[in-house]
Amino acid sequence: MDLISRERDRLLQRSARAYGLTFTAVSALCFALPGAVSFRVLLLGIPFYVLVVAAQVAIGLSRSIWWPLLALAGGNGIVLVVALLDAPPGPAAWLAILNLGAASLASVSLVLTTSPIRIALLTLGGIATVATVVVAEISSPAQALRSAGTVLVGWGLAALITVWISAGVPQVAKRIASIGRAHRAERQASELEAQRRQSARLLHDTVLASLTLLAHSGVGVKPDALRQQAAEDAKLLRQLRLGTVPIPQPAAGGTADGSPASNPNPDDTVLGTTLESVKQRFGRMGLKVSWHGTGQVLLPSDVLDAFLLALAECLENVRRHSGVTEAHVTITDDAKMVRALVTDAGVGFDITDIEATKLGFAESVVGRLREVGGNARLFSSPGSGTTVALEVPRA
């Protein structure tokens, strides 16, 4: 039996239990009203009610065919006791019989429709219930006819509920599966788009920067440094072609000030261990980077990657556009955020001239930081240098 069929059967069992017990309770209350039935009938009827309740509780827990049969036997036993010992029934006893025959016993319809044998037993149970109700009202043909019609309507409604649930569960399962497929497709598309954007950022920050430098004949950069940078870019291209996502590698040394760094959490990285590698890279490219502040800050690896790549792009912009050969990076932190100020005393520019869609700042800096919960702000004016403020969360 597949999962959907099992879930459908469990739902039908629980519905049959709740449906049956509700109307059994109503019937028992009517049956127990003072004067509803004689004391002898009351004593004989109580064990049958106990049997019906026990069987209906078991229906909600087990798929055994015997529990519905016991419920039918107990319920029809109550009606026969009234018919044989207390006919014709009074108004309260008549309500007890109708609630029992038309609703409480009809609840077994919910669990007797999943196989031909069960359907046959359901048919026999329905006929037997109608017959016992008619026997209890035999002294009044009109009343017997009305009672039989009420019982048939009750069993018909229970059968309709069964059909509705049986047909609805597979439809709901199909809809859930469809939503799941749509979610997976959307997630895959989002992941592919994120990977494409990340690859574009990496290419812009490394390979395209090197190609631009070559186009300008490598002015200000030593040939050995240019060859080393080209080799690193070639390695990056191979990684992208193989579908892997490159991440910045820590320098072999310790922190930015040369002291060794320990990492108690393998998911975190000391900021200073990778700031030194950024400093060395731009030193080879002819830009002197002066570090200020702390380098002993632990950051999660994904936050550190975004922070360093955004910082490197800011330094690349200084090297290419500021007209100076020195930049200052000041690192500060508090309980919640790590911040960096990248400052140069270069030519500056009018920040309104930066296009919102420009890849260099909008994607490589702002986009990267926002993906990890950070942000970036730009301050500059012509002739007054440039400052970029970066911030990322510590956790």
Side-chain angles (χ1 to χ4, degrees):
M1 183 182 295
D2 60 24
L3 178 61
I4 298 302
S5 297
R6 290 196 299 270
E7 291 299 324
R8 178 202 62 197
D9 290 346
R10 277 196 287 267
L11 179 59
L12 289 172
Q13 288 173 230
R14 293 167 185 168
S15 300
R17 177 177 59 187
Y19 188 41
L21 288 174
T22 299
F23 286 98
T24 299
V26 174
S27 174
L29 288 174
C30 295
F31 194 78
L33 287 174
V37 294
S38 65
F39 185 71
R40 181 178 60 170
V41 171
L42 180 62
L43 289 179
L44 291 173
I46 289 176
F48 285 104
Y49 271 109
V50 172
L51 177 62
V52 172
V53 169
Q56 288 174 339
V57 170
I59 285 173
L61 303 173
S62 170
R63 295 191 69 251
S64 173
I65 201 170
W66 295 106
W67 299 119
L69 294 180
L70 284 176
L72 289 170
N76 283 289
I78 296 169
V79 178
L80 288 175
V81 167
V82 174
L84 296 174
L85 302 178
D86 215 10
W94 180 72
L95 286 175
I97 290 173
L98 283 186
N99 277 283
L100 195 64
S104 176
L105 298 184
S107 65
V108 301
S109 299
L110 278 73
V111 294
L112 291 180
T113 57
T114 55
S115 69
I117 295 177
R118 287 175 177 261
I119 293 174
L121 292 174
L122 174 63
T123 303
L124 293 175
I127 294 172
T129 303
V130 173
T132 55
V133 170
V134 169
V135 169
E137 302 282 354
I138 195 65
S139 60
S140 175
Q143 184 76 0
L145 185 61
R146 286 196 298 271
S147 298
T150 302
V151 173
L152 288 174
V153 170
W155 281 69
L157 288 175
L160 287 176
I161 292 174
T162 305
V163 171
W164 177 67
I165 293 177
S166 298
V169 170
Q171 294 297 324
V172 171
K174 290 180 181 177
R175 184 63 59 87
I176 292 173
S178 176
I179 293 173
R181 289 192 296 271
H183 173 71
R184 286 193 296 272
E186 182 180 359
R187 184 182 63 187
Q188 290 173 355
S190 299
E191 290 174 351
L192 288 173
E193 176 63 16
Q195 186 176 7
R196 185 194 67 79
R197 292 166 71 92
Q198 185 173 21
S199 298
R201 293 166 184 166
L202 289 170
L203 288 173
H204 173 272
D205 299 349
T206 55
V207 178
L208 293 180
S210 298
L211 291 175
T212 302
L213 191 59
L214 287 172
H216 291 82
S217 302
V219 175
V221 181
K222 296 179 180 179
D224 290 343
L226 191 57
R227 279 194 295 268
Q228 183 175 350
Q229 186 62 38
E232 293 177 359
D233 292 345
K235 180 181 179 181
L236 170 66
L237 287 175
R238 286 194 297 271
Q239 289 177 301
L240 291 176
R241 181 173 60 83
L242 294 174
T244 59
V245 180
I247 60 174
Q249 297 298 321
T255 61
D257 58 5
S259 60
S262 60
N263 186 2
N265 187 344
D267 293 331
D268 294 341
T269 303
V270 178
L271 180 60
T273 62
T274 44
L275 287 177
E276 182 63 23
S277 64
V278 176
K279 178 180 179 179
Q280 292 174 2
R281 171 189 168 188
F282 282 96
R284 295 194 304 267
M285 305 295 285
L287 178 67
K288 180 183 178 182
V289 180
S290 298
W291 301 101
H292 310 279
T294 180
Q296 299 294 322
V297 180
L298 285 172
L299 286 174
S301 59
D302 58 332
V303 177
L304 179 67
D305 294 345
F307 186 69
L308 288 174
L309 290 169
L311 179 62
E313 175 61 17
C314 292
L315 292 173
E316 178 64 21
N317 287 335
V318 172
R319 189 189 67 79
R320 292 172 59 185
H321 304 300
S322 68
V324 296
T325 59
E326 183 177 9
H328 295 267
V329 178
T330 303
I331 307 293
T332 61
D333 68 294
D334 56 30
K336 294 183 178 180
M337 306 294 291
V338 176
R339 298 176 178 87
L341 289 179
V342 182
T343 306
D344 69 76
V347 295
F349 57 90
D350 187 350
I351 60 175
T352 59
D353 293 338
I354 295 183
E355 300 177 9
T357 58
K358 190 174 181 181
L359 183 63
F361 188 75
E363 282 295 330
S364 293
V365 179
V366 179
R368 271 200 182 105
L369 296 182
R370 286 182 177 174
E371 284 183 357
V372 295
N375 201 2
R377 289 172 293 173
L378 179 64
F379 307 91
S380 184
S381 61
S384 300
T386 301
T387 297
V388 183
L390 314 176
E391 62 178 12
V392 290
R394 296 194 63 162

